[in-house]
Amino acid sequence: SQIALVESQVVERKMRQRTTQSRGRAVACARRAWSHAAAVSAIGRLCVLLLATLIAVPAVARTFEVRAVMSKDGAQVYFDPSGLHIQPGDTVRWIQVNGYHSVAAYHPKNGNHELRIPDRAQPWDSGILLAEYRAKGSTFEHTFTAPGVYDYFCQPHEAAGMVGRIV
């Protein structure tokens, strides 16, 4: 009977050890899960913060250049490039390379032309640029604030097809 008592105590001790080990494993597993959840939560908060920063910080406005060109014999006049894709806040700088040109939006305020810019957009008209590039008066700039399609023309050469589009 003393042997049975000892065996019973040994079995009881082993069961306590196993229970303690199981609890230890459960606690360790819970700690790992909590640690993983905390890491995921931290990564989630970081992503939300990064996204909020990207939304809150406006993109850097850029300046694009368009050349106003007349061929040497005067037979061809054109804007180069004739089309641009920009973002609101970007600026376009027209550069008169040679000849005499202007840059005007298709708008009733400019020679009673039809409206071919967004309703809320401000029309522009450079007037005739007489100087060649690098000289004062050889460039004109306009900053675009409203999204949409903007058609423009050169007043002296519109009939020759000197037109452009900005989207």
Side-chain angles (χ1 to χ4, degrees):
S1 113
Q2 204 165 11
I3 293 177
L5 180 62
V6 170
E7 284 179 357
S8 171
Q9 288 173 346
V10 168
V11 168
E12 188 177 319
R13 191 177 324 129
K14 284 184 180 181
M15 287 183 69
R16 268 189 265 134
Q17 284 176 342
R18 286 185 185 150
T19 301
T20 302
Q21 287 173 348
S22 292
R23 280 187 195 145
R25 282 191 219 115
V27 168
C29 184
R31 283 183 183 151
R32 280 193 302 272
W34 182 85
S35 176
H36 178 69
V40 168
S41 177
I43 290 170
R45 284 192 303 266
L46 181 62
C47 287
V48 168
L49 180 63
L50 180 61
L51 182 60
T53 302
L54 290 174
I55 291 170
V57 175
V60 175
R62 298 179 295 170
T63 299
F64 295 86
E65 292 186 346
V66 175
R67 299 168 5 144
V69 181
M70 178 183 285
S71 63
K72 290 185 191 256
D73 62 3
Q76 295 180 331
V77 288
Y78 54 93
F79 290 110
D80 180 31
S82 59
L84 280 176
H85 186 266
I86 65 170
Q87 299 298 319
D90 287 345
T91 298
V92 174
R93 177 185 303 125
W94 286 271
I95 299 170
Q96 177 162 276
V97 175
N98 54 15
Y100 57 97
H101 304 286
S102 74
V103 182
Y106 274 102
H107 191 277
K109 289 183 179 179
N110 293 334
N112 204 28
H113 281 81
E114 65 180 298
L115 179 66
R116 290 172 48 186
I117 66 173
D119 290 334
R120 296 174 305 186
Q122 292 297 313
W124 70 91
D125 181 359
S126 68
I128 302 295
L129 302 172
L130 295 174
E132 291 191 3
Y133 184 57
R134 298 245 184 236
K136 186 175 182 176
S138 66
T139 64
F140 176 77
E141 291 185 3
H142 181 76
T143 300
F144 294 81
T145 56
V149 176
Y150 294 80
D151 289 333
Y152 64 92
F153 63 99
C154 171
Q155 289 175 343
H157 302 114
E158 179 184 17
M162 192 169 181
V163 297
R165 174 171 279 180
I166 297 170
V167 180

